[in-house]
C-alpha cells in the first residue's frame, strides 16, 4: 500500500472542492445560456408601479426594430390621469419602435414579422371583458370570453417572433370588494398561469427588482 507524501497531498484538490467547482461552473453555464440568447417568449409580471413596464422595455431595447402593442384604452380628454399615463409611456419609446393600438392580440401575434412588446395583458383583459358583456352579465358572455382567451393563447403558443408580454400580478392584494373586481382578478390570474406555462422565461418585478421565476 502506497502512502502519499505531504507534497503530493497538497497538490491534489479535495473531492468536496472539486464538486463545488463543478457546481459553480454548471451555474455559470446555465446563466450564459439564459442571458446569451433571446428567449422566444417572456412574461413580465408585477404590481402597480412596480417597474414591470420599464423592465420589459429594457429586455427588448437591443432590437433595431420592434412593434409596441398597446391594447389598453386610448387616451381621451375625459380621463386626464389615464392620458398622462399613456403620454409617459409614449415618451419613453424609441423612435425606431412602431406602436400598434389594438385589442386583437391574436391577430398581431399571427401576423408579426418583427419582435413584439405587449403592454399589458391586464388592460387588454379589461377591454375584452367589456367587449363580451361580462360587466353587464350578458347571456353567453362566458363562452365569448373563453373564445377570445383561447384564440390569444393559441397565437401566443405559435408565435414565430420574440415576444415580451407584460401583465399585472393581482393575487397578492386584498380580496376586491366588488364582484367585477373579483371576476377580473380571477380571470387575469388564470390567464397569467396559462401564458406562463408556454413562456421561455417568467420575471416578477417587485419594487423595481426583477426576480426570475
Amino acid at each position: 500500500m502506497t502512502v502519499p507524501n505531504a507534497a503530493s497531498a497538497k497538490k491534489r484538490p479535495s473531492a468536496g472542492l472539486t464538486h463545488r467547482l463543478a457546481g459553480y461552473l454548471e451555474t455559470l453555464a446555465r446563466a450564459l445560456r439564459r442571458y446569451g440568447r433571446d428567449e422566444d417568449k417572456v412574461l413580465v409580471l408585477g404590481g402597480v408601479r412596480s417597474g414591470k413596464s420599464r423592465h420589459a422595455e429594457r429586455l427588448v431595447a437591443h432590437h433595431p426594430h420592434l412593434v409596441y402593442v398597446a391594447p389598453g384604452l386610448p387616451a381621451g380628454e375625459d380621463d386626464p390621469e389615464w392620458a398622462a399615463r399613456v403620454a409617459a409611456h409614449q415618451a419613453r419609446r424609441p423612435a425606431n419602435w412602431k406602436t400598434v393600438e389594438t385589442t386583437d392580440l391574436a391577430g398581431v401575434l399571427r401576423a408579426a414579422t418583427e419582435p413584439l412588446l405587449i403592454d399589458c395583458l391586464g388592460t387588454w383583459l379589461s377591454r375584452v371583458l367589456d367587449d363580451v358583456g361580462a360587466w353587464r352579465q350578458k347571456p353567453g358572455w362566458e363562452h365569448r370570453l373563453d373564445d377570445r382567451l383561447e384564440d390569444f393563447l393559441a397565437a401566443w403558443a405559435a408565435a414565430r417572433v420574440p415576444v415580451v408580454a407584460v401583465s399585472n400580478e393581482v393575487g397578492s392584494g386584498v380580496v376586491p370588494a366588488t364582484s367585477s373586481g373579483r371576476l377580473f382578478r380571477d380571470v387575469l390570474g388564470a390567464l397569467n398561469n396559462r401564458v406562463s406555462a408556454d413562456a421561455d422565461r417568467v420575471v416578477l418585478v417587485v419594487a423595481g427588482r426583477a426576480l426570475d421565476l
Side-chain angles (χ1 to χ4, degrees):
M1 178 177 179
T2 303
V3 179
N5 59 40
S8 62
K10 290 180 179 179
K11 294 179 181 178
R12 185 179 304 133
S14 68
L17 178 58
T18 302
H19 181 74
R20 288 195 298 273
L21 287 173
Y24 295 152
L25 290 173
E26 177 58 27
T27 300
L28 178 59
R30 286 198 299 268
L32 290 174
R33 287 195 296 270
R34 168 173 288 178
Y35 297 107
R37 64 176 179 86
D38 282 335
E39 289 87 359
D40 290 332
K41 288 172 286 189
V42 181
L43 173 63
V44 179
L45 298 168
V48 175
R49 300 297 189 185
S50 63
K52 60 185 183 297
S53 292
R54 287 186 180 275
H55 181 75
E57 290 163 7
R58 287 195 292 269
L59 290 179
V60 298
H62 63 286
H63 289 297
H65 300 285
L66 180 127
V67 177
Y68 182 101
V69 186
L73 287 169
E77 296 180 357
D78 57 330
D79 191 343
E81 189 272 339
W82 177 251
R85 286 176 179 251
V86 172
H89 274 256
Q90 292 173 338
R92 293 204 305 261
R93 298 172 203 165
N96 59 316
W97 288 11
K98 176 184 176 182
T99 298
V100 174
E101 296 182 352
T102 181
T103 58
D104 184 17
L105 296 187
V108 169
L109 282 164
R110 292 190 175 104
T113 57
E114 296 177 328
L116 302 176
L117 171 56
I118 301 173
D119 193 1
C120 75
L121 297 183
T123 54
W124 172 73
L125 178 62
S126 181
R127 295 187 68 183
V128 169
L129 288 169
D130 188 49
D131 289 346
V132 302
W135 306 133
R136 299 174 298 282
Q137 299 289 293
K138 287 187 175 181
W141 70 266
E142 296 100 331
H143 296 297
R144 293 190 292 273
L145 176 62
D146 285 344
D147 289 343
R148 291 286 295 274
L149 296 181
E150 291 300 329
D151 189 34
F152 162 70
L153 289 166
W156 168 263
R160 296 168 294 177
V161 298
V163 187
V164 174
V166 179
S167 190
N168 303 97
E169 176 49 58
V170 291
S172 301
V174 298
V175 176
T178 63
S179 59
S180 59
R182 292 190 292 273
L183 171 65
F184 176 79
R185 177 203 60 182
D186 292 347
V187 176
L188 184 58
L191 176 64
N192 287 343
N193 268 275
R194 295 282 301 278
V195 173
S196 172
D198 206 351
D200 298 294
R201 183 182 175 198
V202 181
V203 180
L204 175 65
V205 181
V206 180
R209 299 294 186 93
L211 308 172
D212 276 283
L213 302 181

